[in-house]
Every structure is written in C-alpha cells, then in structure tokens.
Amino acid sequence: MAHVAARIILAMGAVAAVTLPTAATAEVVVRFIAPDRFTDAQDRFGSGLSLRVTLAEVGRIMERYGREALPPGETLTVDVLDIDLAGFEQPGANFPYGLRVVRDITPPRFGLRYVLSHGKRSILSGEEVVTDQSFLMRSSRLSQGSFSHERELLRDWFRIRIAERRPQRN
C-alpha cells in the first residue's frame, strides 16, 4: 500500500512540475537575409573564412550580447541585412585563413532590422546601418583574433540600442 502511495505522490509531483509556471527567459533570434548578397562576409579569393563560418560566429556574437542586454520575458529578433567586415581581403596571401588588411577607411558595417518585444507588444524596432568610423582609434580595440572589430561594434550597439533603449539618431 505504501508502495502505491509513493507512486501516486511521485506522479502528482511530476504533473505539478510540468504545470507550474517557469521563469521567463530572454530570447534572441538572429536571421540572415540573403547572405549570398552580403557586401563582405565570405572568402572571395580562396584563403579566408567561409560564409558559413562568418555567419555562425556573427550569430553567436549577437545571441550572446542580446541575452546579456535583455531582461527575462523579452524577445529580440534581428534580421541581418548586410555584413561588411573590417578591412579587405588581400588576394594571393599565403596564409591559412587569408589576410585582411584593416585601415581606418574600412570599418565594420552591419545592416540590421530589429524588433524588441515583450509578449505581443513591440517595445522598440528599427532598421539601421551600424558602423563606427573611428573604430581603430579606440584603445579597447587592441584585442586580437577573428572578428574583434565586429565584436566590439556589436557589443556597443547592443548596449546602447537594446540594453539602454536609446533610439537611433536620424
């Protein structure tokens, strides 16, 4: 009899766990719109990163910064309309992952369309080109590695536009 009662109690606990409301979490959805038409997101000379690798890394960066910027219960949908990585590819470079030459006239640039919502209510939306013409002049831009300039540009955009909810300037 005690064995049957224990099963009933366990079954009731399992039903209660399924029906109890769970803590809302922030959701970030990143979609790449016509990536084969992006300005500069893939290797064009045979030695750089593939489009798949670039999109995967940019997607991870955006999802991370989006989750950090959003409170629970909010959803951010970002359509990436264009990517132009910092610098330009150097054709014929004999490096395993290509060579990008970065100058102050070749900043990273993203075309983004976004909607921030809470439930069915839209909080913030827009479409803009995100870039920083003075990206090389910042002392914090000394980090090494792939996508370091893009990562910092997106970090700043998520902080200003999404976390602080500052509207874009016209």
Side-chain angles (χ1 to χ4, degrees), residues 44 64 137:
R44 294 191 188 342
R64 174 183 167 208
M137 297 179 71

Side-chain angles (χ1 to χ4, degrees), residues 79-108:
D79 291 337
V80 180
L81 307 173
D82 192 23
I83 296 175
D84 188 357
L85 300 174
F88 58 91
E89 285 182 281
Q90 179 66 46
N94 288 327
F95 293 96
Y97 296 107
L99 175 66
R100 290 195 76 81
V101 177
V102 178
R103 295 183 158 169
D104 59 351
I105 60 170
T106 58

Side-chain angles (χ1 to χ4, degrees), residues 49-82:
L49 297 174
S50 70
L51 179 62
R52 181 181 55 78
V53 170
T54 299
L55 298 182
E57 184 60 23
V58 169
R60 276 192 291 277
I61 291 167
M62 290 184 153
E63 288 169 2
R64 174 183 167 208
Y65 291 140
R67 282 191 307 270
E68 290 174 1
L70 295 177
E74 291 187 352
T75 300
L76 175 65
T77 302
V78 180
D79 291 337
V80 180
L81 307 173
D82 192 23

Side-chain angles (χ1 to χ4, degrees), residues 132 134-142 152 155-156:
D132 179 2
S134 60
F135 75 110
L136 286 178
M137 297 179 71
R138 293 177 155 197
S139 61
S140 65
R141 300 220 189 255
L142 299 175
E152 292 203 23
R155 183 201 63 206
D156 292 347

